[in-house]
Amino acid sequence: MTRRRVGLIADTHIPEASRDLPDDACDALAGCDQILHCGDLHTIEVVDQVECLAPTIARRGNGDTFDPPDRPPGGVGEDLGVFRRSRPRGGSASA
């Protein structure tokens, strides 16, 4: 069985709490094989930030009112409020 390191993050509240994710959070997520953001991002750019570290799956929280307009068709599960980015590390923002 292959071991995978999964990073969990939630309630980042960007930009209200801070302009960017704290360095400590980025350091803790570095080296993960997958990152799960459990909601209350407040801006889609949070996914772009953590996705530079590892493939990311995020769930909308009760404070998330944005639509992910640049996400690939079929990449948003409206019934679960989940969206997934499958862009390779260091890739461009356009899918």
Side-chain angles (χ1 to χ4, degrees):
M1 184 165 147
T2 304
R3 295 174 67 99
R4 294 177 45 93
R5 184 172 179 215
V6 177
L8 299 174
I9 190 168
D11 297 300
T12 48
H13 297 261
I14 304 295
E16 296 86 0
S18 176
R19 195 179 106 203
D20 291 310
L21 287 176
D23 290 340
D24 289 346
C26 293
D27 291 346
L29 295 171
C32 288
D33 298 301
Q34 179 86 53
I35 297 173
L36 306 176
H37 194 301
C38 299
D40 282 354
L41 297 83
H42 289 209
T43 180
I44 195 69
E45 285 77 16
V46 172
V47 174
D48 296 330
Q49 274 190 283
V50 296
E51 198 168 50
C52 291
L53 302 171
T56 300
I57 298 174
R59 187 194 193 300
R60 289 184 181 99
N62 65 340
D64 294 323
T65 58
F66 58 84
D67 287 323
D70 66 333
R71 300 320 186 237
V76 178
E78 293 299 334
D79 57 333
L80 298 176
V82 174
F83 51 91
R84 180 184 186 132
R85 296 287 300 266
S86 57
R87 161 178 79 151
R89 291 182 200 184
S92 68
S94 59

